[in-house]
Amino acid sequence: VENGEILTLEARYTPEQIMDSHRSELITDSAYAFQEPELKFHPYLLMEVKYVQPDKKTKEGVILWSMVDGEMVLDTQTWEKTHGFEDAILSDANREDFKILNALAKFKGKTTVDQLQKELHVEPETLTPWIDNTRKKQLVVQKGAEVQLHFQNPKILVTPQTKISQWLVTKPYIHAQRISKKYSPAQIQTTARAAFGQDFMIRSVTEVFLPVYSIEVLNPDGSILTSFWNALNGQRITPKYLT
């Protein structure tokens, strides 16, 4: 067993507090019983960045990006995240792809080829291969003269900064508590640079972890109901396919 220390966001809730607060939600009656909760650490990439704001002034900040679901955290208080960056990582989206994606996001996910051309200030011979490329990567779909993003409820047109309201602390851990990474730091940095443009710079990167509680309830029939809870805000983490 590998032991050591990792840098984590500081937990504000204990599993006992969460179980007490959500008892009526998790346990119907005395036939149900809580099992011993487990702590898991989910890996994130913390990037110190600088970028140019719409007012042309340089802004410095940090981005917290999940190495499990491939999305960027917008606010650690609510744990609001983007949606669409994982698709971009999976398809190796480049800067030209993101020009199309960001333009479509500006038009709420769907617009015409003519409108895209006006928005991006390019000629048809430049735009057509850009659209074809994003279509082949399954990032957009085209129906006649209309182009739309190929993921539900997109949220990619965001400021490259995470609002962080928690401290980072060093915690001891055992190897089994760490969740495996699905995406590498290199993949995330490449996607961030493509998404946020030439004025976006990553100064440094650090691997940090989010503490997550796994809370199990033993049902009367012997089955186990497992739920996951964010230790920072005490909120339940719902799998993407259930949201």
Side-chain angles (χ1 to χ4, degrees):
V1 177
E2 179 187 334
N3 296 319
E5 289 188 335
I6 54 176
L7 194 62
T8 83
L9 291 153
E10 188 173 26
R12 291 186 172 179
Y13 292 82
T14 66
E16 290 74 24
Q17 287 175 318
I18 292 171
M19 288 188 288
D20 286 343
S21 298
H22 298 272
R23 181 174 295 274
S24 60
E25 175 186 341
L26 296 171
I27 291 186
T28 306
D29 55 43
S30 59
Y32 297 79
F34 281 122
Q35 304 298 287
E36 188 67 26
E38 291 186 344
L39 173 63
K40 297 288 187 180
F41 292 107
H42 290 227
Y44 283 75
L45 193 67
L46 184 68
M47 298 181 282
E48 183 186 357
V49 304
K50 63 179 180 178
Y51 59 95
V52 175
Q53 301 179 109
D55 62 6
K56 307 302 181 184
K57 293 181 180 179
T58 293
K59 177 78 172 177
E60 299 175 355
V62 293
I63 295 176
L64 193 62
W65 204 301
S66 172
M67 290 192 272
V68 176
D69 67 22
E71 299 293 343
M72 170 185 160
V73 179
L74 302 176
D75 188 334
T76 60
Q77 191 68 36
T78 60
W79 215 255
E80 179 187 3
K81 285 186 174 182
T82 57
H83 179 59
F85 283 125
E86 182 177 33
D87 295 69
I89 293 173
L90 289 170
S91 65
D92 294 321
N94 58 32
R95 181 59 191 144
E96 285 69 36
D97 296 332
F98 266 105
K99 287 180 180 179
I100 299 294
L101 300 182
N102 288 336
L104 287 172
K106 186 175 180 179
F107 291 102
K108 298 183 178 180
K110 181 168 62 176
T111 192
T112 64
V113 174
D114 286 344
Q115 189 60 54
L116 274 178
Q117 185 182 342
K118 292 175 184 176
E119 175 68 22
L120 296 173
H121 307 290
V122 294
E123 297 301 319
E125 54 267 30
T126 299
L127 182 62
T128 299
W130 286 3
I131 294 174
D132 288 344
N133 197 44
T134 54
R135 185 171 48 79
K136 289 174 184 176
K137 293 180 178 182
Q138 298 292 307
L139 292 169
V140 306
V141 291
Q142 185 174 4
K143 298 176 181 178
E146 197 170 72
V147 183
Q148 69 179 44
L149 292 172
H150 195 23
F151 37 90
Q152 188 177 351
N153 301 322
K155 189 183 292 184
I156 58 172
L157 200 60
V158 297
T159 301
Q161 182 168 354
T162 300
K163 183 180 179 182
I164 295 182
S165 53
Q166 281 81 11
W167 293 101
L168 287 169
V169 295
T170 301
K171 292 281 187 182
Y173 78 101
I174 58 173
H175 185 68
Q177 290 179 307
R178 289 175 58 166
I179 299 296
S180 298
K181 301 172 193 172
K182 185 176 178 182
Y183 303 108
S184 70
Q187 285 177 296
I188 291 170
Q189 290 177 79
T190 297
T191 297
R193 291 188 181 102
F196 299 126
Q198 61 183 8
D199 294 323
F200 173 80
M201 177 185 174
I202 300 172
R203 283 177 156 174
S204 66
V205 297
T206 307
E207 188 173 304
V208 301
F209 291 83
L210 169 69
V212 172
Y213 299 122
S214 171
I215 295 177
E216 294 183 343
V217 173
L218 177 63
N219 297 324
D221 63 1
S223 62
I224 298 287
L225 171 66
T226 303
S227 57
F228 301 94
W229 300 80
N230 186 320
L232 272 68
N233 58 18
Q235 295 178 8
R236 190 168 187 166
I237 299 173
T238 305
K240 287 187 294 182
Y241 54 82
L242 293 180
T243 56

